[in-house]
Amino acid sequence: MSEPIAPGTFVEVGHYQLSKHGQGAPGDMFLSQKNDETGRIITVLSDGLGSGIKAGVLSTLTATMALKFVAADIPIKRAADIIMNTLPVCKDRGISYATFTLVDIAPNSSVRIMEYDNPGYVLIRSNVIVEPIKDCAPIERKNKKTAPVREAVLYYSEYGAKPGDRLIFFSDGVTQSGMGTKASPLGWGDAAVHDFILEKIDEDPEISARDLAKKIVIQANLHDAFEAKDDITCGVVYFRHPRDLLIITGPPINPERDSELARIFTSFNGKKVLCGGTTANILSRELGKPVSIVLKNIDPVVPPISIMEGADLVTEGIITLGKVVELLEDGSEYGKSRILDSEKENGASKLVQLLLDSDRINFVVGTQINAAHQDPNMPMELEIRRNVVKKIEALLTDNYLKEVNVSYM
């Protein structure tokens, strides 16, 4: 049986993406998948030639095939042969319509990387860029209508991950940003991108994978005067200590367990959230800490937050959790990297931010029924607490690769 990467180490996968200016759909695709049984994580970034819907369809096809083949333990070289001989070829340029970078992380600390025509990945260890050793293999051309006219070369590398490692990979929208400008006539370039990454890590040694990817993409877009000349996508894998989050929502079915709820809250080592006015009042009473409502920046949809000493966030209950489901679903469909970019700050967006920044999320759900939520005049989508939490659990586990534990009281 494989040993874990290191005790207490979590693999955070994050990305950020911008579409080419004027295009409604991205031509790049970023996919991640975690096998709960084995702990294996597979991530793919594919760049469709050109931009828009056509490029997006082909990059999606490429990323999906690569992820499925590798997940099924088809040898990487064989998987690449199938992909490259399936994709159509640009008749003018003689190259395949999609490039890709695939990262396969095993629970025994082994990281395998397969690259075709994307900029080379960056491995940072102890704040130093480590030059990888790569093997290359030509992809056999079998179908002249689909296989590349020029020789396609696949680069393969493997290394053992260590806590603190960061693996960064991106589409050429990053390295070629600013091309043709006085400042960067040949584009941003690999060396300058590497320097920028090291600078950002030096400024914030604990920067999350998602935030580092965002900074890289935003800087590339800056070089294009905020009118991206190509799709810009960056993925980051960060091996680090896990970040824990506790969310308590709903009163226990038996009021005699209120003191137990307070013990769970005070003993938890991590960030803490209370969802629900009754929940907050119970903890306030048990701990002797007052709760005060925040009445500035009121949102017309999501009820205001409150403040209590010891809690990182105190929100209303079912309406806020329902909005969290909407935000997480939107992030899954439209690009989780930009889930909060246009969202107004409120209790739901603050909670989603905590969820995205955490790795191990613990829900403690009270099972006492709130009569207000059984009112037939309430909106149909306002489901009872347990079902909403189940939705959040599924979204976080399946789409955001989080470890989620739910217990009931």
Side-chain angles (χ1 to χ4, degrees):
M1 180 178 292
S2 298
E3 293 296 323
I5 291 174
T9 299
F10 184 86
V11 181
E12 179 193 7
V13 179
H15 86 284
Y16 197 82
Q17 180 180 74
L18 290 175
S19 300
K20 180 180 179 180
H21 181 69
Q23 293 289 346
D28 296 348
M29 175 54 62
F30 187 96
L31 295 177
S32 293
Q33 173 181 291
K34 181 177 181 180
N35 187 310
D36 290 331
E37 295 181 0
T38 65
R40 185 180 179 190
I41 297 173
I42 304 172
T43 296
V44 187
L45 166 59
S46 179
D47 180 357
L49 186 66
S51 58
I53 294 176
K54 183 177 180 180
V57 168
L58 289 163
S59 65
T60 301
L61 174 64
T62 302
T64 303
M65 284 194 298
L67 190 147
K68 297 297 184 184
F69 290 156
V70 174
D73 289 324
I74 294 176
I76 275 186
K77 178 64 166 56
R78 172 61 178 154
D81 281 335
I82 296 172
I83 294 169
M84 299 309 302
N85 282 285
T86 300
L87 294 174
V89 169
C90 174
K91 63 181 180 180
D92 297 322
R93 305 187 203 182
I95 58 177
S96 174
Y97 267 113
T99 66
F100 59 87
T101 300
L102 183 144
V103 180
D104 181 15
I105 306 167
N108 66 351
S109 82
S110 176
V111 180
R112 300 189 303 164
I113 304 172
M114 178 172 66
E115 302 171 283
Y116 171 67
D117 260 12
N118 271 343
Y121 68 86
V122 183
L123 172 60
I124 297 179
R125 177 173 293 167
S126 300
N127 296 328
V128 175
I129 293 179
V130 178
E131 290 295 334
I133 298 174
K134 299 183 181 182
D135 295 325
C136 61
I139 304 300
E140 183 182 356
R141 179 187 176 199
K142 296 177 181 178
N143 187 334
K144 293 182 179 180
K145 292 183 179 180
T146 59
V149 174
R150 64 177 176 82
E151 182 180 53
V153 178
L154 176 76
Y155 289 94
Y156 174 83
S157 53
E158 183 174 357
Y159 70 94
K162 294 184 178 181
D165 281 2
R166 284 183 172 91
L167 175 65
I168 302 102
F169 48 104
F170 32 80
S171 63
D172 59 10
V174 172
T175 52
Q176 294 180 7
S177 63
M179 183 175 290
T181 63
K182 290 183 179 180
S184 305
L186 300 178
W188 194 5
D190 291 284
V193 173
H194 297 178
D195 289 342
F196 178 83
I197 294 171
L198 290 173
E199 176 187 327
K200 294 304 150 186
I201 294 175
D202 183 62
E203 291 175 358
D204 182 4
E206 300 299 322
I207 187 171
S208 69
R210 185 167 53 91
D211 288 343
L212 179 57
K214 181 176 181 178
K215 286 183 180 295
I216 294 168
V217 171
I218 295 301
Q219 185 67 23
N221 194 35
L222 172 64
H223 295 153
D224 285 337
F226 296 105
E227 293 187 354
K229 295 180 174 61
D230 193 5
D231 299 286
I232 307 174
T233 306
C234 178
V236 177
V237 180
Y238 184 17
F239 298 82
R240 56 166 172 74
H241 295 297
R243 298 168 181 165
D244 294 323
L245 175 66
L246 172 67
I247 301 175
I248 299 178
T249 179
I253 191 169
N254 186 347
E256 293 180 359
R257 301 188 70 183
D258 288 354
S259 60
E260 180 184 346
L261 195 67
R263 285 195 297 272
I264 292 172
F265 179 84
T266 54
S267 63
F268 185 79
N269 186 21
K271 294 194 173 181
K272 308 169 191 179
V273 176
L274 302 178
C275 287
T278 304
T279 306
N281 288 333
I282 289 173
L283 270 297
S284 174
R285 183 190 69 236
E286 292 291 326
L287 300 175
K289 297 178 179 179
V291 177
S292 57
I293 193 169
V294 179
L295 293 177
K296 63 180 181 179
N297 299 324
I298 297 296
D299 187 290
V301 176
V302 180
I305 64 171
S306 298
I307 297 174
M308 188 186 87
E309 181 186 347
D312 294 276
L313 179 65
V314 180
T315 75
E316 177 275 341
I318 194 67
I319 297 175
T320 300
L321 290 174
K323 181 62 175 178
V324 167
V325 171
E326 291 181 18
L327 290 173
L328 293 175
E329 287 177 336
D330 287 347
S332 300
E333 182 176 358
Y334 298 113
K336 67 193 73 169
S337 62
R338 302 179 64 188
I339 184 172
L340 297 174
D341 280 4
S342 60
E343 183 64 25
K344 182 178 180 180
E345 187 175 273
N346 52 43
S349 65
K350 285 177 176 290
L351 180 50
V352 169
Q353 186 72 56
L354 284 170
L355 290 169
L356 295 180
D357 287 341
S358 302
D359 310 310
R360 299 186 303 202
I361 299 159
N362 298 275
F363 282 92
V364 176
V365 183
T367 55
Q368 187 179 118
I369 295 176
N370 188 335
H373 299 156
Q374 309 306 310
D375 186 341
N377 295 320
M378 296 288 278
M380 289 296 294
E381 65 269 16
L382 202 60
E383 299 180 24
I384 62 174
R385 180 179 292 105
R386 280 173 291 184
N387 288 337
V388 174
V389 170
K390 286 180 181 178
K391 281 189 175 182
I392 294 174
E393 177 188 12
L395 286 164
L396 291 173
T397 302
D398 297 339
N399 299 337
Y400 297 87
L401 307 183
K402 305 295 184 180
E403 296 178 14
V404 183
N405 177 65
V406 180
S407 58
Y408 298 93
M409 294 186 69

